[in-house]
Amino acid sequence: MDDVDWKILSELQADGRITNVELARRVGISAPPCLRRVRALEQAGVIRGYRTLLEEKTLGFDVTAFAMVGLASQAEADLVAFEDLVRGWGIVRDCWMLSGEIDFMLLCVAPDLQSFQNFIIGELTKAPQVDSVRTALTIRHSKDAGGAPLELL
């Protein structure tokens, strides 16, 4: 990757809806080679995809919480089985496997506290691999940078 590729990534990360013509202008190349570079970055797996970020609270999702999950076993089959369950739970928006005392950290979004509690009690704690669950309700979201810190490279 050269400087132009890094500029393309920076611009796309800031605004995924930018047109190819505008992107090319901002990075200082013409539109056809800019599009070829973007497609090459996509094919190489550097660009995973594009999405629209929604404001959850405006849509009626008033509860954002984290669930810290400990599994009874860290055998690969149990980890994979739990990850498969997580993919089916719409309330879980992000999932990270961690090292240390907690096996998984789940970011959950729910319409209200009762819905979140119903999920924790009715689904998460009943999952066969789950040994323990701790939750934390968020108070405020102070930073949402997303993506990668390209300025550090």
Side-chain angles (χ1 to χ4, degrees):
M1 290 191 353
D2 62 15
D3 287 345
V4 173
D5 289 328
W6 288 108
K7 288 178 186 174
I8 287 171
L9 293 174
S10 180
E11 293 294 335
L12 284 174
Q13 186 167 253
D15 180 5
R17 289 189 58 168
I18 190 171
T19 66
N20 183 58
V21 171
E22 179 61 17
L23 178 60
R25 186 190 69 71
R26 289 187 190 177
V27 300
I29 61 175
S30 63
C34 183
L35 184 58
R36 281 193 297 274
R37 284 174 176 260
V38 169
R39 288 189 176 144
L41 290 166
E42 290 169 347
Q43 290 173 351
V46 175
I47 297 174
R48 287 188 296 155
Y50 304 87
R51 63 174 71 168
T52 298
L53 301 175
L54 304 177
E55 183 54 53
E56 296 95 348
K57 296 218 183 297
T58 302
L59 295 170
F61 295 96
D62 291 332
V63 173
T64 302
F66 289 95
M68 286 81 52
V69 180
L71 301 186
S73 162
Q74 287 70 39
E76 185 64 19
D78 292 323
L79 297 170
V80 169
F82 180 74
E83 290 172 319
D84 288 343
L85 276 176
V86 168
R87 286 185 194 93
W89 291 329
I91 198 168
V92 177
R93 306 314 301 160
D94 286 311
C95 173
W96 296 271
M97 183 189 299
L98 306 176
S99 65
E101 294 179 28
I102 299 168
D103 294 311
F104 287 92
M105 174 80 75
L106 310 179
L107 173 64
C108 303
V109 176
D112 51 47
L113 187 55
Q114 187 65 53
S115 298
F116 178 64
Q117 289 172 333
N118 291 344
F119 164 71
I120 296 298
I121 295 166
E123 295 187 58
L124 184 56
T125 59
K126 288 185 178 179
Q129 304 82 5
V130 172
D131 182 54
S132 65
V133 175
R134 292 188 348 235
T135 61
L137 296 174
T138 64
I139 295 171
R140 139 173 82 226
H141 193 181
S142 303
K143 183 174 180 178
D144 187 12
L150 299 179
E151 68 277 4
L152 298 179
L153 299 176

